[in-house]
Amino acid sequence: MKAVRHLLALAALALAGTTASAQFVKGNEAVKVMPDGTKKVETPPTAGALLAKPCPAATPGCSGGGWKMVETPEGLMECTEVYARPTTCRTSTYGSEKRSRVWVVKTGSEWKHCQYPELGKACVSIKSLPSPAVQ
């Protein structure tokens, strides 16, 4: 009986670890863990970008080209744009709801969107049109 409980506990930990690790992109240089354990998070800069009026995440139809999954200081968010401006993001539903998504990441000095939460999978510059995938 003790062995069964131990196995169930290990399975629960493995499942929790899988779920938690799926909610970020490994290697995303926009997220840095500081020596004191705090996170420093960058979002794509708005300087020099041609920005339309923000489309609020709460407004139906604002995610026309799929949700942009962006790491922010508040955690992983679903945004209507890559810049994560105020009102354009909401709490992530990744893992609980299937939606069309792209993942916004930084590698080196370049910002990209990736079709999946993996740097090596179909990533293009944020200046290009993304290819969202239902996830």
Side-chain angles (χ1 to χ4, degrees), residues 27 29 42 106-111:
E29 295 174 26
E42 291 179 74
K106 183 179 182 185
T107 135
S109 61
E110 190 175 4
W111 286 94

Side-chain angles (χ1 to χ4, degrees), residues 11-34:
L13 281 172
L15 183 58
T18 304
T19 303
S21 66
Q23 292 206 22
F24 69 92
V25 179
K26 186 176 181 177
N28 182 1
E29 295 174 26
V31 181
K32 292 184 176 77
V33 178
M34 307 312 285

Side-chain angles (χ1 to χ4, degrees), residues 18 66 69 94 98:
T18 304
M69 304 303 291
Y94 180 73
K98 294 236 182 240

Side-chain angles (χ1 to χ4, degrees), residues 3-135:
V4 171
R5 272 190 262 155
H6 183 68
L7 259 172
L8 288 174
L10 285 175
L13 281 172
L15 183 58
T18 304
T19 303
S21 66
Q23 292 206 22
F24 69 92
V25 179
K26 186 176 181 177
N28 182 1
E29 295 174 26
V31 181
K32 292 184 176 77
V33 178
M34 307 312 285
D36 65 358
T38 60
K39 279 186 185 179
K40 179 182 175 191
V41 181
E42 291 179 74
T43 54
T46 57
L50 297 173
L51 300 173
K53 180 181 174 195
C55 194
T59 303
C62 276
S63 68
W67 289 97
K68 283 55 169 181
M69 304 303 291
V70 183
E71 283 284 349
T72 70
E74 293 78 31
L76 182 66
M77 305 291 273
E78 293 175 345
C79 304
T80 59
E81 63 178 19
V82 298
Y83 303 104
R85 291 184 288 171
T87 76
T88 64
C89 298
R90 66 182 189 186
T91 304
S92 170
T93 60
Y94 180 73
S96 62
E97 295 181 23
K98 294 236 182 240
R99 298 185 181 280
S100 183
R101 296 180 166 91
V102 294
W103 298 79
V104 178
V105 299
K106 183 179 182 185
T107 135
S109 61
E110 190 175 4
W111 286 94
K112 297 180 176 187
H113 20 219
C114 300
Q115 192 172 32
Y116 297 97
E118 297 177 40
L119 279 175
K121 292 254 183 167
C123 297
V124 295
S125 168
I126 62 170
K127 297 173 183 168
S128 304
L129 289 174
S131 298
V134 175
Q135 306 166 38

